Amino acid sequence: MRSPVSRESAKAGLPPGTLVHVGTPRSEKVRITVFGYDEKDFNERETRAEDCADALKKRAVTWINVDGIHDVAIVEKVGTLFGLHPLTLEDIASTHQRPKMEDFDNYFYFVLRMPYFQRRGGRIHAEQISIVLMKNAVVSFQEREGDVFDPIRERIRRNKGRIRKCGADYLAYALMDAIVDNGFAILETLGERTESLENNVLKEPDPAVVREIHALKRELILLRKAIWPLREVLANLSRDDSPLISKSTALYLRDVYDHTIQVVETVETFRDTVSGLLDVYLSVVSNRMNEVMRVLTVIATLFIPLTFLAGIWGMNFEFMPELEWKFAYPVVLGIMILIAATMLIFFRRKKWL
Amino acid sequence: MRSPVSRESAKAGLPPGTLVHVGTPRSEKVRITVFGYDEKDFNERETRAEDCADALKKRAVTWINVDGIHDVAIVEKVGTLFGLHPLTLEDIASTHQRPKMEDFDNYFYFVLRMPYFQRRGGRIHAEQISIVLMKNAVVSFQEREGDVFDPIRERIRRNKGRIRKCGADYLAYALMDAIVDNGFAILETLGERTESLENNVLKEPDPAVVREIHALKRELILLRKAIWPLREVLANLSRDDSPLISKSTALYLRDVYDHTIQVVETVETFRDTVSGLLDVYLSVVSNRMNEVMRVLTVIATLFIPLTFLAGIWGMNFEFMPELEWKFAYPVVLGIMILIAATMLIFFRRKKWL
Amino acid sequence: MRSPVSRESAKAGLPPGTLVHVGTPRSEKVRITVFGYDEKDFNERETRAEDCADALKKRAVTWINVDGIHDVAIVEKVGTLFGLHPLTLEDIASTHQRPKMEDFDNYFYFVLRMPYFQRRGGRIHAEQISIVLMKNAVVSFQEREGDVFDPIRERIRRNKGRIRKCGADYLAYALMDAIVDNGFAILETLGERTESLENNVLKEPDPAVVREIHALKRELILLRKAIWPLREVLANLSRDDSPLISKSTALYLRDVYDHTIQVVETVETFRDTVSGLLDVYLSVVSNRMNEVMRVLTVIATLFIPLTFLAGIWGMNFEFMPELEWKFAYPVVLGIMILIAATMLIFFRRKKWL
Amino acid sequence: MRSPVSRESAKAGLPPGTLVHVGTPRSEKVRITVFGYDEKDFNERETRAEDCADALKKRAVTWINVDGIHDVAIVEKVGTLFGLHPLTLEDIASTHQRPKMEDFDNYFYFVLRMPYFQRRGGRIHAEQISIVLMKNAVVSFQEREGDVFDPIRERIRRNKGRIRKCGADYLAYALMDAIVDNGFAILETLGERTESLENNVLKEPDPAVVREIHALKRELILLRKAIWPLREVLANLSRDDSPLISKSTALYLRDVYDHTIQVVETVETFRDTVSGLLDVYLSVVSNRMNEVMRVLTVIATLFIPLTFLAGIWGMNFEFMPELEWKFAYPVVLGIMILIAATMLIFFRRKKWL
Amino acid sequence: MRSPVSRESAKAGLPPGTLVHVGTPRSEKVRITVFGYDEKDFNERETRAEDCADALKKRAVTWINVDGIHDVAIVEKVGTLFGLHPLTLEDIASTHQRPKMEDFDNYFYFVLRMPYFQRRGGRIHAEQISIVLMKNAVVSFQEREGDVFDPIRERIRRNKGRIRKCGADYLAYALMDAIVDNGFAILETLGERTESLENNVLKEPDPAVVREIHALKRELILLRKAIWPLREVLANLSRDDSPLISKSTALYLRDVYDHTIQVVETVETFRDTVSGLLDVYLSVVSNRMNEVMRVLTVIATLFIPLTFLAGIWGMNFEFMPELEWKFAYPVVLGIMILIAATMLIFFRRKKWL
């Protein structure tokens, strides 16, 4: 709960543009990989921050990927090499941004959030991914080494699909597409959990269900918050008439836009379902409670009057003539059975049994 | 729950435009039927994918209907013959699209969702129907052989109504109209189920009602999700000034638009009613519970004090002078009856009886 | 519940424009009345469908009113005489339209819904009224003979107000105004029912209240669905720059628009109130339940321990020395009274009494 | 509940423009006061309807205030003298209008609603105030003599503030400002009632709270309905480029607009709080109920088994060897105490005590 | 609750533009500090109201900060020196304004609300901060001496960041940024309280939770009301084409805008969580209640019938043959154990144990 806020507030008072890493502290070495490619060939290597701009212009498209942003010195070096605005650098280093697009004169800056399941606890977290789209290059910044972009690397290496034939805008699109498609994978897992929760609620409701519903709701909100603002980003992008985005790529962006809406709509449907589950759970619990109460009522209502009768003839008064009657006992038992039977019929009429 | 997502995620990482069937796996043979017609005559035949473009230009309007899209090779062949964009082909093959319209230079591509009742379980599913509208032709793709377009075939064969006199745009309209009208049939069944649920809740509420309400809500959401985006599609279409849509057809599209809104509004009314039913159910159940509790209270409150009194004179103390009094027993019985009567009057005053 | 849908679906598959009556089947004879009037004079007669266009142009304004649309042949005849589009005729005959306005080249077509209380059951139904506004004539179609337009007839006959001085647009306005004003009458009755429900809930809540709340909610939704779309129709109409609407009539249309909003806002207030009533009812019921439970608890908690004590000395052990003590009995009674008193004080402290 | 509707419906069927008083019937004499003022001087007098236009043009600004509109003849006379449209007169006389602005060629007509606390019952009512703004004059109509405009009269008389230096538009603004500021006074009282309700709910919740919450909600809705539409009126007015509103007055109108929003936002906050109070009340009540139930359970669970044991040894079987044992009685008592102690420890573990 | 309204209403009736302090009464001396700075140097001193305009034009940018507005004479003096409109002065002195921007010809006037935790009680309050942005100067008004602007003073003194290189617009931006960043600090504390509340609800729910939820909700609403309108202010400001805002500052304003949205979204997430907590709390409580009831039912249902049996054989009838049977007592005990066992098995089957 605290994380999106707690560190941001540590910056309060610093002049804007100050480069401070805001996010989970990490100690891994920052890894910078450079991909250069055109339709004919590609090359791929790991490099130091100082050298990453060298690759530019050797190939039609250059993709620089920075894994790890906790070393702000490296982010700053890369940023300076590519002429990024101080606000962009600050946003890259503050990992709790809302997805957005900013249009600087010579580049587009995208902030995206990629939800993933934490190894421990299995709860959803969202990693911030920054993408800077320039004329012939894409620079991407990830919080941690991830594998969501591996299929794209593979497509570049093997020249699969259109990627090697298109420009940097198509690469940026491919990265965004990978992130949105990753949302479907998350949704699949959440869908399975919703479904199993649904079965639990209807079959054997136990109090843990309430916590799970609460947790699921929060994860759906987190997923929604990560994907929802993308909608606006992509809508603006396709309306935009920038030379950085070619017309053919715009068609593909429309496609990601559709996927974004689909993710958000499915999240909403899941939220509706999960909210509905709480109602179902509460009414299932209340039905069970009623059943319990009905049994108590029937037993108590049946035996309390009979016990009273037994108590009457258990009194020690000297002058209780019926005590001496010969058939008093069986008659009394008969009367008791009669009363019980009458009550049972009454209960059955009332549908309490 | 899983289906709209689970298969989509299998595609994560594939280059966009890769043709993979995403949907319920099927094994039926794909059937392609070709209708050519103009005002004077029509011809109708089944064909192979390779030959389906031959029909073009022989008649004023050509309608190619593909039943089954699980064989992506066939979809691809048809797509290539008509010059469809790779993204269109991908969308045709991915059966979990949201209804939408895409405007490519030489054709309109419509994704529609047709809700239908599954044979087993009777729950609603939604089939994806793709319609490609070109200058003189309509290509439609269905997931499975269906009968919703049969009346249109009949109208072409028998030259009923305006269909033979109009162009491909009118045919596309007729297909959409058939799908929206099908929504009314679904609504009718759901309306009957809502109505019988309503009777159940008010007459003999049992816990199964909660599940049925939950299920009905989900089906209404599914229906809404299938029809609601059509609204926007049709509004855009009528604003559009494309040469593919004639002015007279635009009037008819406005009519489908009105029907779409009517379906969605009725769905919303049903959702309101069904949500209200849960409240009604819960208060009916709680009323019954109260009745049960009232009876328990009356019986227990009546007999517990009397049983205590009986217990008093059931004690074995040696010096309890009243035990030897001659009329002690009837007096005690009288007191007990008096107490009971007082209580009953109190209960009646409190309206617990 | 079914009606708005069930019959509409019967049309699925028919070519659009097919004239089928969709609505409650009726058998009364269709009645056509023709009013011609100008500032100086008026004439009024009943006529056959074939002759109803004869009246045109004899007077400045002609008003043809068709009571009953179940005889589609008549609707068709009238439609043909006035050059109505097939879609208009279809909409006139399908009585489950949503209120709307359609602008055809030479006429405006209005669909309105007039809510009324059914004779049996007293529930609200909504009748569809179609109004066709042409240059010098208004054609109105009602489902059944009604009296809502009688005051307008009277105003024409007696030359009250401006109606005889104005054109056909003013007549159309007057008809709409009559329908919206009728909404106020409906609201008045619903308001009275809400008020009496409110008294019931607070004074003597009984389970029937839940049903009445549910019913009232549905009727308010129905009323809202009948009036709400009018808002948009009238807003569009006043923005419209059509020669059919004179500028002075536009002022009056703005007035109906205000009334429409007022009806809808009052409906919303009633819905808020009725929804709130369910909460009030549930908490009143729960308060009564608590009172019942408190009494049970007090009685049971008071007497169960005392009964146990009486049981102790009712045991038949041979060696129970206190049984022989002379003042054991009064001492025991004293102890019991003491315990009861202590408990009563405790209960009073806890505010359970 | 009925009032906003019941009388309006009485007009159904009358030709529009018919002048009928719709509102609480009153019998006080209608009072007309005329204020004429410019920067240098002012005069003030009471007059008859026939003479009220005489004051015009003698001073820079003339303000005619009509207290009481139940005498429609007077309203009509005043209206005719100033050339008001019949619809305006109708709106002035129908006291259940929604706040609105209407732009007639030569004047602006404002309907405002001023909420006030009724003397009896202390519930909120809303009085309709009509303001007609002309080039050099303002005509205002109130339902009853009120004191909300007194400070403005005082400002004119004593030449306080800018009022004598400005035109009729500033006077109209001052009247509106007085009405909106009056909303703050109402809010203050409602805020106090909310606060005391809050204390009641948390300290000593009793069932009357539910009624008070219900009543408070309705009054907040009434206040909101009176102020909310003003927002739109003022926004339109400031966008308007009419010669009736000077540029410097427009600045002041923006200020009233801000106040309007502030009133509405505070109303919304109060509504949130009051709605939340119902939840708090219900959970406080349910907590008390649980406490009651816990006590019942502990007592019953403790003594019911012990009473059973006492009952066992109270049976009259001849062969119950333990009855004759010398230490049976103390042993049995010991066992009972042991059972009770064990149970108490169990209850404490479960945190039921 | 009352504060935002109670004092505002005290002004009802005063002419607009009257300078009255509306807010918490204070007695500290008003402190005015003047900062003049350009890229090369800065000077800083405390001054009297009369002299504060002297600093203007000596340096590129002048910042006058007024701590305390309860002395309206001082506010008026400062206002007159800088040519502020009477409405601006009134707004500065009325401390319950909604955040807004007003564009006067020669200056922008911003009202901001800075939430802070009160020393006593720790509840959130919001202080009003007014900022007047002129060509070369910024005048800021705070209700009380605060430290939220200290880091900005430090940045000016030490020439950190861009602040000394930029104009007055950048200073105004820095002030707004400090206020929004302060919102993150508030959120952090509220987040911690939400988190600890969450733990409480799931681990040891006690009734105080309901009050805390209610309080937290209200504080979140207050925070939201303080920040939300800023969104619109900043959006308007960046759309505005005023010479007062330089293009490079506009970029920074977009950044504050993003932060504003982030604060509001986090507030919304917290509100969702807190609202959800009430549901969780209620169902946890209801689960505990059910557990209690189940134990009561099991004990009562087990022993009530057995006690009845013991009562039967405790009756004093003379002719009860079984009393004399030798093994009657052990047989009866056996039967009782059998009944109890059967019931326990039944309960276990029903999962009540």
Short mmCIF file of all heavy atoms in Angstrom, two decimals, chain D residues 202-203 280 284, chain E residues 123 207-216:
data_model
loop_
_atom_site.label_atom_id
_atom_site.label_comp_id
_atom_site.label_asym_id
_atom_site.label_seq_id
_atom_site.Cartn_x
_atom_site.Cartn_y
_atom_site.Cartn_z
N LEU D 202 -22.45 7.38 17.25
CA LEU D 202 -21.29 6.74 17.86
C LEU D 202 -21.50 6.52 19.36
O LEU D 202 -21.01 5.56 19.92
CB LEU D 202 -20.04 7.57 17.60
CG LEU D 202 -19.59 7.56 16.13
CD1 LEU D 202 -18.44 8.52 15.91
CD2 LEU D 202 -19.16 6.16 15.70
N LYS D 203 -22.27 7.44 19.99
CA LYS D 203 -22.41 7.32 21.45
C LYS D 203 -23.62 6.51 21.87
O LYS D 203 -23.50 5.55 22.59
CB LYS D 203 -22.40 8.71 22.09
CG LYS D 203 -20.96 9.15 22.34
CD LYS D 203 -20.84 10.60 22.71
CE LYS D 203 -19.46 11.13 22.35
NZ LYS D 203 -19.47 12.56 22.08
N VAL D 280 -22.32 3.16 9.59
CA VAL D 280 -21.77 3.17 10.94
C VAL D 280 -22.85 2.75 11.94
O VAL D 280 -22.63 1.89 12.79
CB VAL D 280 -21.23 4.57 11.30
CG1 VAL D 280 -20.82 4.63 12.75
CG2 VAL D 280 -20.05 4.91 10.41
N VAL D 284 -22.70 -0.39 14.38
CA VAL D 284 -22.73 -0.20 15.83
C VAL D 284 -23.86 -1.05 16.43
O VAL D 284 -23.67 -1.78 17.41
CB VAL D 284 -22.94 1.30 16.18
CG1 VAL D 284 -23.31 1.46 17.65
CG2 VAL D 284 -21.69 2.09 15.87
N ARG E 123 -5.76 14.89 13.03
CA ARG E 123 -6.63 14.86 11.86
C ARG E 123 -6.14 15.84 10.81
O ARG E 123 -5.44 16.80 11.13
CB ARG E 123 -8.07 15.21 12.27
CG ARG E 123 -8.72 14.22 13.22
CD ARG E 123 -8.89 12.90 12.54
NE ARG E 123 -9.46 11.89 13.43
CZ ARG E 123 -9.21 10.61 13.32
NH1 ARG E 123 -8.38 10.16 12.41
NH2 ARG E 123 -9.75 9.73 14.12
N PRO E 207 -14.97 -2.95 17.47
CA PRO E 207 -15.89 -1.93 16.96
C PRO E 207 -15.24 -0.59 16.65
O PRO E 207 -15.76 0.17 15.83
CB PRO E 207 -16.91 -1.79 18.10
CG PRO E 207 -16.85 -3.09 18.83
CD PRO E 207 -15.42 -3.54 18.73
N ALA E 208 -14.11 -0.28 17.28
CA ALA E 208 -13.48 1.01 17.00
C ALA E 208 -13.11 1.14 15.53
O ALA E 208 -12.96 2.24 15.01
CB ALA E 208 -12.24 1.18 17.88
N VAL E 209 -12.95 -0.02 14.88
CA VAL E 209 -12.60 -0.03 13.46
C VAL E 209 -13.58 0.80 12.64
O VAL E 209 -13.19 1.53 11.74
CB VAL E 209 -12.53 -1.49 12.96
CG1 VAL E 209 -12.73 -1.56 11.47
CG2 VAL E 209 -11.22 -2.13 13.36
N VAL E 210 -14.87 0.69 12.96
CA VAL E 210 -15.89 1.39 12.18
C VAL E 210 -15.67 2.90 12.24
O VAL E 210 -15.75 3.59 11.24
CB VAL E 210 -17.30 1.03 12.70
CG1 VAL E 210 -18.36 1.78 11.92
CG2 VAL E 210 -17.51 -0.46 12.57
N ARG E 211 -15.36 3.39 13.44
CA ARG E 211 -15.10 4.83 13.57
C ARG E 211 -13.87 5.25 12.80
O ARG E 211 -13.85 6.29 12.15
CB ARG E 211 -14.87 5.18 15.04
CG ARG E 211 -16.16 5.21 15.82
CD ARG E 211 -15.86 5.37 17.28
NE ARG E 211 -16.79 4.54 18.02
CZ ARG E 211 -17.03 4.68 19.31
NH1 ARG E 211 -16.39 5.60 19.99
NH2 ARG E 211 -17.90 3.91 19.91
N GLU E 212 -12.84 4.43 12.89
CA GLU E 212 -11.60 4.75 12.19
C GLU E 212 -11.83 4.77 10.68
O GLU E 212 -11.33 5.65 9.98
CB GLU E 212 -10.50 3.74 12.57
CG GLU E 212 -9.18 3.92 11.86
CD GLU E 212 -8.47 5.23 12.17
OE1 GLU E 212 -8.90 5.93 13.11
OE2 GLU E 212 -7.50 5.57 11.47
N ILE E 213 -12.61 3.80 10.19
CA ILE E 213 -12.92 3.78 8.76
C ILE E 213 -13.66 5.06 8.38
O ILE E 213 -13.35 5.71 7.38
CB ILE E 213 -13.77 2.53 8.41
CG1 ILE E 213 -12.89 1.28 8.44
CG2 ILE E 213 -14.43 2.68 7.05
CD1 ILE E 213 -13.65 -0.01 8.23
N HIS E 214 -14.67 5.41 9.19
CA HIS E 214 -15.44 6.63 8.94
C HIS E 214 -14.53 7.86 8.92
O HIS E 214 -14.62 8.71 8.03
CB HIS E 214 -16.50 6.75 10.04
CG HIS E 214 -17.53 7.80 9.78
ND1 HIS E 214 -18.37 7.76 8.70
CD2 HIS E 214 -17.85 8.92 10.46
CE1 HIS E 214 -19.16 8.82 8.72
NE2 HIS E 214 -18.87 9.54 9.78
N ALA E 215 -13.61 7.94 9.90
CA ALA E 215 -12.71 9.10 9.98
C ALA E 215 -11.77 9.13 8.77
O ALA E 215 -11.55 10.17 8.15
CB ALA E 215 -11.91 9.05 11.28
N LEU E 216 -11.23 7.97 8.42
CA LEU E 216 -10.28 7.88 7.31
C LEU E 216 -10.95 8.31 6.00
O LEU E 216 -10.37 9.04 5.20
CB LEU E 216 -9.76 6.44 7.21
CG LEU E 216 -8.35 6.24 6.68
CD1 LEU E 216 -7.36 7.15 7.36
CD2 LEU E 216 -7.91 4.80 6.86
#
